[in-house]
Every structure is written in C-alpha cells, then in structure tokens.
C-alpha cells in the first residue's frame, strides 16, 4: 500500500497502541480482487472442461457399444453369406444335372449378393463407429489435459493466499500501531 501519514519522527516516544502510520491499501485490494477473479474464472474453466471430458467418456461408451452391435450384426451376415454360398453351389450342381431350374440358381446368386452387400454396409458402419470412438477419445484427452494446465497455473492454495482479512477489506486505510512503548530510533520510508 501507499503511506498516507507518518505520525512519528526519530526520537519520538510512543506508547503501546499509538498509531505510528496509516497506509492506503485500496490499490492492493484492486490487484487482489483482480487476481481472485482470474483464479475463479480459471476454476470455472476447469469445471467446464471436466464436464466435457465426462461427456466425451459417455460418447466413447456409446460409440464402442455401437461397434459391438455392428460386430454382432456382421457375424450374423457372415453366417448368412456362408449359407447362401453353400446353397448356391448346391443348386448350381443340381441345375447342371437339370434337377432344378435356372431361376432357382439365380435366386441363390441374389441371396449371396444380398449377404455380401449387408456385410459391406456393416463394415462401412463399423469404420464410421471406429472414427467416432477415435474422435471422442481425442476430445476426452484434450478436455482432461487443459484443466491440469489451468490448475497447475493457478492452484487453490494461491487463491486462499489472496484472501484479504475482513478487517482490511472493510476500510481503505490501515493504521499501524506501536506494539511496545519506547523511543523511535530511526524511521525508514521507501
């Protein structure tokens, strides 16, 4: 703070409790208030980014669940394809011996193409789901990294160290009193 009044000089006698100086601390209060506001803003950003990280975790779980479902679907389509190929091959042999008509062989070929198309479609959906998982993991990692950087820059103990005691915050000046009675041997003001 800034020295407002110096109430003593060298060789003055003071009693315990005498006011020896008054200091204006309003500028210091403004600096402290600004620092406290910056810390509170940083802590709010930490909370926001932590929430984003939690949301990204939920997105990861949803995308991974979709991947599992697609894996299951793909397995089912693989089974259908194998069965369709088996029936097509069988019907081609039967058609070669004229035991069945060519239209039945065409039906089996259509079943094989349909199963292959379903597999291709689920493979595409699996790639999209994998991409969503990767994006969600990247977002989660970024959201987790920034709060640590903010929290490292401004920690909670630093916020507490900026607290202004109630007696100082209530007025703009501070009175400095003598703690003991005696003679002022020198006055140092910088």
């Amino acid at each position: 703070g800034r020295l407002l009044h110096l109430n003593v000089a060298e060789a003055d006698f003071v009693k315990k409790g005498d006011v020896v100086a008054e200091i204006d601390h309003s500028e210091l209060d403004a600096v402290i208030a600004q620092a406290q506001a910056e810390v509170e803003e940083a802590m709010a950003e930490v909370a926001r980014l932590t929430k984003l990280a939690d949301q990204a975790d939920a997105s990861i779980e949803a995308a991974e669940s979709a991947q599992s479902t697609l894996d299951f679907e793909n397995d089912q389509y693989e089974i259908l394809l194998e069965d369709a190929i088996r029936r097509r091959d069988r019907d081609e042999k039967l058609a070669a011996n004229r035991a069945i008509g060519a239209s039945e062989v065409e039906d089996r070929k259509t079943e094989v193409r349909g199963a292959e198309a379903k597999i291709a479609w689920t493979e595409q959906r699996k790639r999209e789901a994998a991409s969503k998982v990767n994006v969600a993991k990247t977002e989660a990692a970024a959201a987790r990294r920034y709060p640590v950087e903010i929290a490292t820059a401004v920690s909670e103990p630093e916020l507490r160290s900026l607290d202004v005691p109630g007696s100082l915050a209530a007025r703009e000046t501070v009175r400095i009193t003598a703690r003991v009675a005696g003679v002022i041997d020198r006055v140092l003001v910088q």
Side-chain angles (χ1 to χ4, degrees), residues 48-113:
R48 185 186 74 79
L49 291 171
T50 300
K51 185 177 179 181
L52 282 176
D54 292 343
Q55 290 171 345
D57 286 340
S59 295
I60 290 169
E61 287 180 32
E64 287 175 342
S65 176
Q67 273 185 312
S68 295
T69 300
L70 292 170
D71 286 339
F72 177 76
E73 283 181 27
N74 201 49
D75 291 346
Q76 296 301 310
Y77 292 140
E78 292 283 347
I79 292 168
L80 290 175
L81 176 61
E82 289 173 18
D83 188 49
I85 290 171
R86 183 188 53 75
R87 286 184 287 135
R88 180 200 62 197
D89 293 347
R90 180 199 65 203
D91 286 359
E92 284 177 341
K93 289 177 188 173
L94 290 172
N97 293 330
R98 303 211 188 278
I100 60 170
S103 65
E104 291 184 49
V105 173
E106 285 305 314
D107 289 345
R108 299 301 166 251
K109 288 180 181 179
T110 300
E111 288 175 7
V112 169
R113 285 190 299 271

Side-chain angles (χ1 to χ4, degrees), residues 49 52-54 56-57 60 135-145:
L49 291 171
L52 282 176
D54 292 343
D57 286 340
I60 290 169
V135 167
K137 285 181 179 179
T138 301
E139 289 173 352
R144 280 189 191 84
R145 182 177 66 245

